[in-house]
Amino acid sequence: MRSGYEYSRTGNPTRTALETCLAALDGGARGLAFASGMAAEDTLVRTMCRPGDHVIIPADAYGGTYRLFSAVLSQWGIEHTAVDLGDLPAVRAAMQRSTRLIWCETPTNPLLSIADVAALAEIAHEARARLVVDNTFASPYLQRPLALGADVAVYSTTKYLGGHSDVVGGAVVVSDPDLGQELAYSQNAVGAVPGAFDSWLVLRGIKTLGVRMERHCANAGKVASWLSGHPAVETVFYPGLPGHPGHDVAGRQMDGYGGMVSFLASGGERAALKICSRTQVFILAESLGGVESLIEHPGRMTHASTANSPLQVAASLVRLSVGIEDVDDLIDDLRQALDGA
Ligand SMILES: Cc1ncc(COP(=O)(O)O)c(C=O)c1O
């Protein structure tokens, strides 16, 4: 007891080290670690919302976030509206008296849409609501939502923070210490916490976050530009491309455009599936944000839960998590997969 630790669900020294580090990276009052990104999201919403409350969610949120709101939290009386968060008048119009949260993801999974965090914070705060930013794609190295006015940053630490595809974890960082205290209460009461070893894996990943993110950004920028000129590619989604609708906002609020790139295959779903099956350096897998490059078909994999919903993704969409390998090897791999697709 003298050490301040009585039971490992309530707290343990390795998790405290991770939580202290996460709070520092985001400039927050408190960081809290969870067993997964979804565990972090669920504990956060059930701490901040009550039955009858309403949440605005992005029109192209991560499929699991959409499923949490549409299939689970809706059963407990928490309502949601999906809105294009790049359209600020539409966000204002969707606000209700009961709106407790604006839930923002920027860049989004899988379409790499950009939302203006400062502008959304203003809309939320005018209505006495709070702004949550899922900062998984950017990581705190590229974007610090609290400094832009958000109240909460949420992460799947499974991705860039962990960085090696060997751990599942989540995190929440808040600017208000009272909210931090309420969340710590829920974290212990609900118990969706990471074990000490998983906490250590995330901490170990964070040691190289900066160098990894620099390389992810450099490689993804080159891959996105190369894809833009290929006839088998109809549209490329990457905020670093000057033609991306969120390019200017991303340039203002991010320190780099990240490692994720999506594109529509000109030949439709068949071509998209063929490309996913032909790459050899890009491994076919669901996750993202690790040192190795991954490819996936969101419609059949990560975003299958959005089928027949307003968040359904195009069948010709392919998502790349661009790793830190030699970029020429990555482009050669995509070339052999795309040629003849
Ligand atoms: C943007 C985003 N948020 C949250 C999650 C959920 O995280 P986890 O898989 O760690 O539960 C994911 C997972 O892919 C994600 O991409």
Side-chain angles (χ1 to χ4, degrees), residues 36-38 41 62 105 109 134 136-137 156 158-159 168-169 288:
S36 69
M38 294 318 303
E41 294 190 18
Y62 164 59
E105 210 180 285
N109 182 1
D134 183 335
T136 298
F137 268 35
S156 166
T158 316
K159 312 293 163 29
V168 171
L288 63 101

Side-chain angles (χ1 to χ4, degrees), residues 195-232:
F197 184 62
D198 284 358
S199 301
W200 179 83
L201 281 171
V202 178
L203 267 173
R204 185 214 50 182
I206 289 172
K207 288 185 206 293
T208 56
L209 180 68
V211 284
R212 285 187 286 108
M213 292 315 295
E214 295 285 348
R215 181 69 171 248
H216 283 300
C217 291
N219 282 0
K222 286 181 188 159
V223 165
S225 305
W226 181 84
L227 285 170
S228 305
H230 198 285

Side-chain angles (χ1 to χ4, degrees), residues 26-30 130 146-147 149-153 173-180:
D26 257 304
R30 184 143 192 180
R130 279 168 149 167
L146 303 186
D151 302 283
V152 182
V173 183
V174 294
S175 50
D176 172 2
D178 292 339
L179 176 58

